[in-house]
């Protein structure tokens, strides 16, 4: 292990969208190289089947990420892959293993302090995905265009020595309809966890990292790796926090310093 590494009890990541040009694969690889856990949950949209069907894109960083995950699984780390809508091609294979990685549609995770959390991607509770898939596909196309703008803008910021900043995330969080959708999604997932008599829910899907209590249920979203570069981690006492890996300056000579990122403390 790298001497600068941190080890957690559990790590959750989702929406990496490997196979799409929007994936921040270099940031994700750096995060995985510097953060270890007994259990890693891949909470859906890890491989972007939608993007790969339209146009093949797969670079060395994508290969290294998969190799690292398979290697850890084979060495005894519990790696669970919970499928999402962009990698729904895996759903026929739930309850099976791929090179020691468990494939599931949803699971219940018990934290060190005894709390039980429903872990799922979340697209099952997105009305657009369930009843208007054509609209979801159209939204995906528009989102890809916005991510292209985001990439160009951040190349310019990196050249000037500024940290990564997501244009797409900023616009999404400032748009009233998007804010309303996020709020409704969070409340729906919290209601589902409460109906199952669980303590909380951990999901992805909407690319918005969050930890907040909703009607006595702890809602957690681990974010994404195309905009915010965030993960959810559990420490050894069961506490949960969001790690934002891109929230650090990039050196003026272009060398990425994301490995020095610190977790964003959140009481949970």
């Amino acid at each position: 292990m790298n001497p600068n590494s941190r080890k957690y009890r559990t790590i959750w990541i989702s929406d990496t969208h490997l196979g799409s040009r929007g994936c921040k694969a270099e940031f994700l690889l750096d995060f995985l190289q510097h953060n270890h856990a007994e259990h890693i949950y891949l909470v859906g949209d890890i491989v972007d089947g939608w993007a790969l069907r339209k146009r093949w894109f797969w670079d060395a960083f994508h290969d290294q990420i998969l190799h690292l995950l398979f290697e850890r699984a084979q060495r005894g780390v519990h790696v669970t892959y919970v499928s999402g809508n962009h990698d729904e091609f895996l759903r026929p294979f739930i309850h099976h293993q791929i090179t020691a990685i468990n494939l599931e549609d949803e699971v219940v995770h018990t934290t060190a302090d005894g709390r039980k959390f429903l872990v799922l991607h979340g697209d099952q509770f997105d009305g657009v995905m369930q009843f208007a898939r054509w609209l979801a596909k159209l939204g995906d196309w528009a989102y890809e265009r916005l991510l292209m703008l985001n990439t160009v803008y951040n190349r310019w910021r990196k050249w000037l020595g500024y940290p990564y900043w997501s244009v797409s995330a900023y616009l999404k969080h400032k748009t009233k309809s998007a804010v309303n959708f996020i709020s409704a999604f969070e409340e729906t997932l919290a209601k589902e966890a409460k109906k199952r008599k669980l303590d909380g829910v951990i999901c992805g899907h909407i690319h918005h990292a969050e930890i907040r209590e909703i009607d006595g249920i702890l809602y957690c979203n681990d974010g994404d790796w195309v905009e915010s570069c965030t993960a959810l981690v559990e420490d050894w006492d069961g506490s949960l926090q969001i790690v934002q890996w891109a929230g650090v300056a990039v050196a003026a000579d272009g060398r990425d310093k994301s490995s020095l990122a610190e977790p964003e403390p959140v009481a949970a």
Side-chain angles (χ1 to χ4, degrees):
M1 246 173 58
N2 186 305
N4 295 321
S5 296
R6 295 196 61 168
K7 185 160 186 183
Y8 299 99
R9 185 171 185 265
T10 316
I11 292 174
W12 292 265
I13 59 174
S14 75
D15 299 274
T16 62
H17 291 274
L18 295 171
S20 74
R21 293 186 180 274
C23 172
K24 300 294 184 293
E26 189 173 357
F27 282 89
L28 176 58
L29 179 63
D30 187 61
F31 171 79
L32 290 171
Q33 288 172 336
H34 289 86
N35 293 275
H36 300 256
E38 290 186 346
H39 202 147
I40 298 175
Y41 288 97
L42 308 173
V43 194
D45 287 2
I46 301 303
V47 176
D48 193 331
W50 292 12
L52 289 172
R53 280 195 294 266
K54 288 186 289 186
R55 180 175 55 188
W56 186 263
F57 174 76
W58 198 271
D59 64 18
F61 289 118
H62 292 60
D63 275 335
Q64 290 177 63
I65 289 165
L66 289 188
H67 177 76
L68 185 152
L69 290 170
F70 283 129
E71 182 181 49
R72 289 197 184 164
Q74 290 172 328
R75 289 185 175 182
V77 174
H78 299 285
V79 181
T80 303
Y81 192 136
V82 177
S83 53
N85 50 301
H86 282 256
D87 45 23
E88 60 192 352
F89 58 86
L90 292 173
R91 284 183 169 158
F93 306 103
I94 61 170
H95 310 315
H96 289 74
Q97 280 191 342
I98 298 179
T99 318
I101 294 180
N102 299 304
L103 300 179
E104 301 291 346
D105 202 33
E106 62 177 52
V107 293
V108 173
H109 172 80
T110 303
T111 58
D113 55 2
R115 292 177 295 171
K116 294 186 180 298
F117 284 79
L118 174 63
V119 181
L120 76 173
H121 182 63
D123 61 294
Q124 305 93 323
F125 296 87
D126 179 348
V128 174
M129 275 301 309
Q130 296 305 310
F131 304 112
R133 286 181 66 86
W134 67 270
L135 187 57
K137 295 281 187 178
L138 178 62
D140 184 62
W141 176 86
Y143 186 56
E144 284 182 358
R145 306 283 84 74
L146 188 56
L147 288 177
M148 288 171 62
L149 171 64
N150 191 64
T151 299
V152 173
Y153 174 68
N154 275 288
R155 282 177 184 165
W156 174 76
R157 285 178 63 87
K158 185 175 181 178
W159 181 73
L160 292 176
Y162 290 113
Y164 173 83
W165 186 75
S166 176
V167 178
S168 46
Y170 174 79
L171 293 175
K172 182 169 66 177
H173 299 157
K174 290 296 182 180
T175 303
K176 185 177 180 181
S177 58
V179 171
N180 291 341
F181 169 79
I182 290 170
S183 179
F185 177 84
E186 294 173 344
E187 290 169 6
T188 300
L189 267 291
K191 285 179 183 176
E192 181 64 20
K194 189 167 190 175
K195 185 172 75 173
R196 301 193 194 190
K197 302 186 185 306
L198 299 172
D199 299 294
V201 59
I202 297 170
C203 61
H205 187 53
I206 59 171
H207 295 202
H208 181 65
E210 182 79 275
I211 296 179
R212 72 183 183 103
E213 188 172 310
I214 304 173
D215 193 22
I217 297 295
L218 192 63
Y219 167 89
C220 305
N221 193 304
D222 55 34
D224 68 279
W225 291 86
V226 296
E227 295 180 54
S228 57
C229 299
T230 52
L232 181 74
V233 298
E234 177 195 0
D235 227 321
W236 299 98
D237 61 357
S239 60
L240 302 174
Q241 57 187 335
I242 292 168
V243 175
Q244 185 164 10
W245 205 246
V248 66
V250 175
D253 62 2
R255 289 181 293 109
D256 182 7
K257 297 198 297 183
S258 56
S259 61
L260 303 178
E262 288 296 325
E264 174 185 332
V266 180

